[in-house]
Amino acid sequence: MKRRYLSLAASGAALCLTAVTLTGCGALGGLTGDNEVTLRVVAAEYGDNPQNSSATYWKTLADGFEKANPGINVEVSVYSWSEVDAKVAEMVKAGKAPDIAQIGAYADYAEAGKLYTADELLSVKTEADFLGPLADAGKVKRVQYGLPFVASTRLLFYNEKLLADAGVIAKDARNGWQPKSWAELEAAAKKLKGAGVQTPFALPLGREEAQAETMMWMLAGGGGYTDNEEQYSIDSAENVKALEFLRDKMVGQGLTGPAEPGRTNRQDAFDAFTRGEVGMLNGHPTLIKQAAGKGVKFGMVTMPTLDGGEHSAMGVADWVMAFKNGHPKEAGAFLDHLYQAENVTAFTTKYDLLPVTTTGYRAVQAGKGGAAPQLKTFLDALPSSRLYPVGKKSWAGVSEDIKQNIGKSVQPGGQPAQVLEQIAGAARAADRH
């Protein structure tokens, strides 16, 4: 048995994992010697430090797969979320697409005819186990190319001690806190600022996940990236109003802290929250473990809306896809292995994320698999949440445009309407071609 190495380089560099042929009985046996196949996999980093890097999960997964499938080698490269989509795009452009990619968008590659379909890859059992809404979101023209990997919804996290010290909640409050409107959120942030909290509300509109933070505010304001006909409505009046609120009421009044939102990444905000420097922020399930590990007592509530009424929450699914590199049988076998119940649970439990399969969903609902009890709150919001328009071939480019430009719209003097019009115009043009 030969092994290569697992390395953690400087921040932003890839975590590289190469698992080479192991012995054992193979599900796809008979591939040896000159017939060996190497699958190149690119995946995103979900950990926040070297000790909980996703590379460890992929190494264990690859080792187990290779043991059952002698003759198939698996090489995995893990990149940070701020660069993984761009890395895959570069590889595809250079004619060196990976066999499998676990990234944020798939539709542009599907439209270009570069991906295998789900039924060309997966067993019937695996394909049928995906949650219906997520499987549908993975389709282009009713054909599934995108395989959901993990999902999450978003809630408003708050530091209980900071809010109690600022007088937002009672020190002995037992029923938590649930602001209904943005006006209540603004009032709480002002009290936190008055109490000396460094960042009353963290607003990460940096490259890491600006498209998510933006969508949360748009939905809470009654807007969104698309209308009911799934046409881009990025420059809608509702969306403009949401960003004007952020510019005037949050950033303009110094309620988002000293850091410029457009230069603040999601993990920067999470880290500051775990240090006790942030009063409130929008977060996904992985923040549960990060904050609890640092001893931060926190609450989680649904995000308040512009007018206190009910609006859709945001759901996010990350995607797996297989490029047409001539190895559908081998890639499909690896993906069947990836979606085995124990492997799904191992990943979602490690990072407090939501499963994308029916078996995984039921396990979390039943409190099985070691999942954090708080995940049920996120899980309840998943069936009715709205996802990115990932079925559009233009979405990857639109998402990148948002990451690059949305932050400047909420700075003092920023022009939300103008920025959104520019993004929307480019999105509609891309959608037509």
Side-chain angles (χ1 to χ4, degrees):
M1 179 178 70
K2 296 185 295 181
R3 291 186 184 273
R4 298 184 191 175
Y5 59 88
L6 173 67
S7 66
L8 175 61
S11 175
L15 294 166
C16 299
L17 160 65
T18 305
V20 190
T21 308
L22 303 173
T23 59
C25 298
L28 289 180
L31 292 172
T32 58
D34 293 338
N35 294 320
E36 287 189 356
V37 170
T38 296
L39 295 176
R40 294 180 299 118
V41 180
V42 172
E45 176 62 83
Y46 288 77
D48 62 339
N49 61 66
Q51 286 68 47
N52 71 352
S53 170
S54 301
T56 303
Y57 168 83
W58 287 101
K59 181 180 188 306
T60 300
L61 188 78
D63 284 353
F65 175 75
E66 288 189 338
K67 188 173 182 179
N69 296 276
I72 305 179
N73 307 326
V74 180
E75 297 179 353
V76 185
S77 297
V78 180
Y79 294 92
S80 71
W81 268 113
S82 63
E83 61 180 346
V84 66
D85 291 280
K87 287 287 185 183
V88 171
E90 290 171 6
M91 296 169 73
V92 173
K93 186 176 181 180
K96 299 178 180 179
D99 294 283
I100 294 170
Q102 183 267 298
I103 51 178
Y106 66 86
D108 51 338
Y109 300 124
E111 286 276 3
K114 296 183 181 296
L115 301 181
Y116 291 114
T117 64
D119 59 8
E120 289 176 314
L121 297 163
L122 304 176
S123 67
V124 173
K125 180 181 178 181
T126 300
E127 191 174 359
D129 196 31
F130 291 126
L131 290 170
L134 297 178
D136 288 342
K139 295 177 180 179
V140 174
K141 297 178 182 177
R142 300 185 181 181
V143 178
Q144 186 175 359
Y145 297 90
L147 313 178
F149 179 59
V150 290
S152 69
T153 50
R154 303 300 161 93
L155 295 174
L156 176 68
F157 284 69
Y158 62 89
N159 184 309
E160 291 182 352
K161 183 180 186 303
L162 294 182
L163 264 67
D165 290 346
V168 177
I169 59 176
K171 292 184 181 296
D172 60 349
R174 297 182 182 276
N175 297 322
W177 176 62
Q178 177 59 74
K180 296 295 185 183
S181 69
W182 289 355
E184 292 178 66
L185 193 72
E186 177 192 352
K190 287 180 177 178
K191 287 185 176 181
L192 287 164
K193 182 181 179 182
V197 174
Q198 182 174 344
T199 303
F201 192 102
L203 186 64
L205 293 176
R207 281 187 49 81
E208 184 179 2
E209 212 187 30
Q211 80 283 5
E213 184 73 21
T214 301
M215 185 174 174
M216 282 183 272
W217 287 96
M218 287 179 171
L219 290 175
Y225 288 133
T226 55
D227 59 23
N228 292 333
E229 303 299 322
E230 293 303 313
Q231 300 301 309
Y232 281 121
S233 58
I234 297 170
D235 54 350
S236 71
E238 292 85 357
N239 292 343
V240 172
K241 191 171 184 178
L243 294 186
E244 287 177 343
F245 172 83
L246 293 177
R247 180 195 63 189
D248 299 336
K249 301 297 185 180
M250 302 302 287
V251 179
Q253 297 188 92
L255 303 181
T256 56
E260 183 179 330
R263 297 179 182 274
T264 302
N265 281 324
R266 178 190 64 191
Q267 193 58 53
D268 298 332
F270 282 14
D271 290 343
F273 186 80
T274 65
R275 293 194 300 267
E277 299 169 0
V278 172
M280 302 174 287
L281 81 169
N282 292 314
H284 56 59
T286 60
L287 185 55
I288 294 173
K289 189 169 291 184
Q290 293 177 30
K294 296 294 181 66
V296 176
K297 291 186 177 181
F298 59 90
M300 301 180 303
V301 296
T302 55
M303 186 179 177
T305 62
L306 170 64
D307 54 7
E310 291 188 6
H311 296 296
S312 297
M314 187 187 74
V316 175
D318 300 329
W319 301 94
V320 172
M321 62 216 69
F323 286 86
K324 289 183 176 179
N325 288 350
H327 306 304
K329 184 178 179 181
E330 294 81 4
F334 181 74
L335 291 171
D336 279 334
H337 180 69
L338 171 68
Y339 285 106
Q340 288 179 8
E342 62 271 22
N343 294 329
V344 170
T345 302
F347 194 89
T348 56
T349 300
K350 183 178 179 69
Y351 296 108
D352 285 332
L353 290 166
L354 305 181
V356 297
T357 59
T358 300
T359 51
Y361 184 92
R362 289 172 178 166
V364 174
Q365 281 187 318
K368 297 178 181 178
Q374 299 100 317
L375 278 183
K376 292 182 181 180
T377 307
F378 290 91
L379 196 68
D380 290 343
L382 185 59
S384 61
S385 61
R386 285 182 62 180
L387 279 68
Y388 299 133
V390 290
K392 289 180 172 290
K393 65 180 180 180
S394 55
W395 171 244
V398 174
S399 177
E400 184 62 28
D401 200 0
I402 294 167
K403 292 178 182 180
Q404 294 270 10
N405 296 299
I406 205 69
K408 59 190 176 187
S409 72
V410 302
Q411 286 300 106
Q415 299 295 323
Q418 185 179 53
V419 171
L420 291 179
E421 284 171 6
Q422 291 172 348
I423 295 173
R428 292 180 183 119
D431 217 28
R432 290 192 294 268
H433 295 88

PDB file of all heavy atoms in Angstrom, residues 44 80 118 142 177 213 276 286 309:
ATOM      1  N   ALA A  44     -14.474  21.803  -1.523  1.00  0.00           N
ATOM      2  CA  ALA A  44     -14.415  23.048  -0.754  1.00  0.00           C
ATOM      3  C   ALA A  44     -14.078  22.777   0.709  1.00  0.00           C
ATOM      4  O   ALA A  44     -14.397  21.716   1.252  1.00  0.00           O
ATOM      5  CB  ALA A  44     -15.744  23.789  -0.847  1.00  0.00           C
ATOM      6  N   SER A  80     -10.242  26.755  -0.182  1.00  0.00           N
ATOM      7  CA  SER A  80     -11.153  27.599   0.589  1.00  0.00           C
ATOM      8  C   SER A  80     -12.326  28.013  -0.290  1.00  0.00           C
ATOM      9  O   SER A  80     -12.218  28.059  -1.524  1.00  0.00           O
ATOM     10  CB  SER A  80     -10.434  28.848   1.107  1.00  0.00           C
ATOM     11  OG  SER A  80     -10.149  29.730   0.034  1.00  0.00           O
ATOM     12  N   ALA A 118     -27.170  12.795 -13.697  1.00  0.00           N
ATOM     13  CA  ALA A 118     -27.241  11.967 -12.493  1.00  0.00           C
ATOM     14  C   ALA A 118     -27.493  10.508 -12.831  1.00  0.00           C
ATOM     15  O   ALA A 118     -26.885   9.600 -12.245  1.00  0.00           O
ATOM     16  CB  ALA A 118     -28.332  12.492 -11.558  1.00  0.00           C
ATOM     17  N   ARG A 142     -35.042  20.119 -16.839  1.00  0.00           N
ATOM     18  CA  ARG A 142     -35.641  18.913 -16.267  1.00  0.00           C
ATOM     19  C   ARG A 142     -34.698  17.719 -16.196  1.00  0.00           C
ATOM     20  O   ARG A 142     -35.146  16.591 -15.938  1.00  0.00           O
ATOM     21  CB  ARG A 142     -36.919  18.528 -17.032  1.00  0.00           C
ATOM     22  CG  ARG A 142     -37.990  19.615 -17.002  1.00  0.00           C
ATOM     23  CD  ARG A 142     -39.262  19.146 -17.669  1.00  0.00           C
ATOM     24  NE  ARG A 142     -40.264  20.211 -17.636  1.00  0.00           N
ATOM     25  CZ  ARG A 142     -41.495  20.087 -18.121  1.00  0.00           C
ATOM     26  NH1 ARG A 142     -41.877  18.938 -18.683  1.00  0.00           N
ATOM     27  NH2 ARG A 142     -42.352  21.086 -18.056  1.00  0.00           N
ATOM     28  N   TRP A 177     -35.172  35.866  22.601  1.00  0.00           N
ATOM     29  CA  TRP A 177     -35.436  37.175  22.003  1.00  0.00           C
ATOM     30  C   TRP A 177     -35.792  36.954  20.547  1.00  0.00           C
ATOM     31  O   TRP A 177     -35.115  36.200  19.845  1.00  0.00           O
ATOM     32  CB  TRP A 177     -34.190  38.039  22.142  1.00  0.00           C
ATOM     33  CG  TRP A 177     -34.246  39.385  21.499  1.00  0.00           C
ATOM     34  CD1 TRP A 177     -35.097  40.413  21.783  1.00  0.00           C
ATOM     35  CD2 TRP A 177     -33.395  39.865  20.447  1.00  0.00           C
ATOM     36  NE1 TRP A 177     -34.833  41.503  20.990  1.00  0.00           N
ATOM     37  CE2 TRP A 177     -33.792  41.199  20.163  1.00  0.00           C
ATOM     38  CE3 TRP A 177     -32.344  39.319  19.735  1.00  0.00           C
ATOM     39  CZ2 TRP A 177     -33.173  41.970  19.193  1.00  0.00           C
ATOM     40  CZ3 TRP A 177     -31.715  40.080  18.761  1.00  0.00           C
ATOM     41  CH2 TRP A 177     -32.127  41.394  18.500  1.00  0.00           C
ATOM     42  N   GLU A 213     -25.298  36.653   2.120  1.00  0.00           N
ATOM     43  CA  GLU A 213     -25.717  37.727   3.020  1.00  0.00           C
ATOM     44  C   GLU A 213     -26.674  38.673   2.302  1.00  0.00           C
ATOM     45  O   GLU A 213     -27.698  39.101   2.849  1.00  0.00           O
ATOM     46  CB  GLU A 213     -24.507  38.489   3.542  1.00  0.00           C
ATOM     47  CG  GLU A 213     -24.816  39.561   4.564  1.00  0.00           C
ATOM     48  CD  GLU A 213     -25.191  39.006   5.939  1.00  0.00           C
ATOM     49  OE1 GLU A 213     -24.837  37.844   6.224  1.00  0.00           O
ATOM     50  OE2 GLU A 213     -25.832  39.735   6.715  1.00  0.00           O
ATOM     51  N   GLY A 276     -16.486  37.085  21.153  1.00  0.00           N
ATOM     52  CA  GLY A 276     -17.346  37.942  21.955  1.00  0.00           C
ATOM     53  C   GLY A 276     -17.347  39.384  21.527  1.00  0.00           C
ATOM     54  O   GLY A 276     -17.730  40.265  22.307  1.00  0.00           O
ATOM     55  N   THR A 286     -22.877  25.778  11.014  1.00  0.00           N
ATOM     56  CA  THR A 286     -21.519  25.514  11.490  1.00  0.00           C
ATOM     57  C   THR A 286     -21.104  26.463  12.609  1.00  0.00           C
ATOM     58  O   THR A 286     -20.185  26.155  13.370  1.00  0.00           O
ATOM     59  CB  THR A 286     -20.493  25.621  10.343  1.00  0.00           C
ATOM     60  OG1 THR A 286     -20.523  26.932   9.794  1.00  0.00           O
ATOM     61  CG2 THR A 286     -20.804  24.619   9.245  1.00  0.00           C
ATOM     62  N   GLY A 309     -43.591  41.197   8.762  1.00  0.00           N
ATOM     63  CA  GLY A 309     -44.399  40.130   8.171  1.00  0.00           C
ATOM     64  C   GLY A 309     -43.560  38.909   7.844  1.00  0.00           C
ATOM     65  O   GLY A 309     -42.345  38.891   8.060  1.00  0.00           O
TER      66      GLY A 309
END
